[in-house]
Amino acid sequence: MSQVDATDGYLLEVKNLTKNFAVEEGHFRRSKAQVQAVANVSFGIRRGQTFGLVGESGCGKTTVGKILVNLVKPTSGEVIYNGVNLNELEPAARKVYCRDIQLIFQDPYSSLNPRMRVGDIIAEPIRTHRLLPKDAVEDRVNELLECVGLANYMRNRYPHEFSGGQRQRVGIARALALNPRFIVCDEPVSALDVSIQAQVLNLLDDLKEQFGLTYLFIAHGLNVVKHVSDQVGVMYLGRILEIAPKSELYANPISPYSQALLSAVPSVDPSRRRERIILSGDVPSPINPPPGCRFSSRCFKKTAICSELEPELRLIEGDHWCACHEV
């Protein structure tokens, strides 16, 4: 049974999502192998909540986000938004739904066109989708700049005239331009100074309350995810190993991988410090993942079955899900 089958009330559901990328070589670009970036991933996000997706670099988090905003086509699986399977829609029909699902990019430098003024960058999606009359676009841009804490006169500046935090605010304003209900935040603060990260996180939280937004928040910083998320999914080598409410996951991680990740989080409270778990070996190649559980080659609790049979994500208790044979 998948995690999204258990409860109603989801704005977005992902069911058995898989994405393979071909590794090509030679002059004729022949396919050499397949990289399984996302492997049979399932989760659901309730309306008005933030779902944090964490894991090591290269585990497939960003690929999931790109599939949700239609930048990457899945190999198999379903993306159900507000009860509609987006993968079954014709391109014209899907375009309408994609207005409701927007993306905040990780890099506030490369994600903005350096040749465009900020006002035009924010106005571009409005004009592309013809949401407003031409004479109303400027007022909408000014409104969006104010929402993200920037002055109206900044609309005539170019991206290089802004700081990193201000550029990310421009990216957030652009994501809000089409009045979405769901936003994929792809590590939106990882490229910013620590002093600026809190400001952007607080802004995202305020916008969530103001506009009734739902977030998928992708990150590798566990402290950041704890600050913003209602529910957290832990991903490893293309698969989700654990899903739980934030408080439950941080207090009682079940998956050995989650336990290892959380043991590395520093704490100023000595009573809350965990014994450090050092994982041996490196992350396996997604071209040739280990048989059975994908974490078995580094797991400190593995048994014989772990290398033979891949565990299913199953309900442990309450709303806590885990994929582990030892539970």
Side-chain angles (χ1 to χ4, degrees), residues 72 97 141 190:
V72 173
Y97 277 92
V141 171
S190 64

Side-chain angles (χ1 to χ4, degrees), residues 78-90:
E78 299 178 340
V79 177
I80 300 173
Y81 178 76
N82 206 24
V84 177
N85 188 345
L86 299 185
N87 296 341
E88 295 179 352
L89 296 178
E90 296 295 328

Side-chain angles (χ1 to χ4, degrees), residues 156-177:
N156 294 317
R157 293 182 177 179
Y158 289 94
H160 73 269
E161 299 179 83
F162 291 83
S163 67
Q166 289 175 325
R167 285 181 184 141
Q168 194 60 291
R169 289 173 185 266
V170 172
I172 294 171
R174 179 176 58 184
L176 293 173

Side-chain angles (χ1 to χ4, degrees), residues 19 21 62-63 65-74 94:
K19 177 59 183 178
F21 292 99
T62 295
T63 301
K66 289 181 176 179
I67 291 173
L68 299 188
V69 297
N70 202 31
L71 290 178
V72 173
K73 299 293 183 183
R94 175 149 187 168

Side-chain angles (χ1 to χ4, degrees), residues 112-113 115-127 137-142 144-145 150-159 161-162 170 173-174 177:
L112 302 178
N113 189 334
R115 297 179 180 271
M116 293 178 65
R117 297 181 189 272
V118 159
D120 293 326
I121 290 174
I122 298 173
E124 185 176 28
I126 302 173
R127 291 169 178 153
V137 174
E138 184 174 344
D139 289 340
R140 176 59 175 160
V141 171
N142 290 337
L144 289 167
L145 286 169
L150 297 176
N152 292 345
Y153 68 84
M154 292 181 174
R155 60 176 295 126
N156 294 317
R157 293 182 177 179
Y158 289 94
E161 299 179 83
F162 291 83
V170 172
R174 179 176 58 184

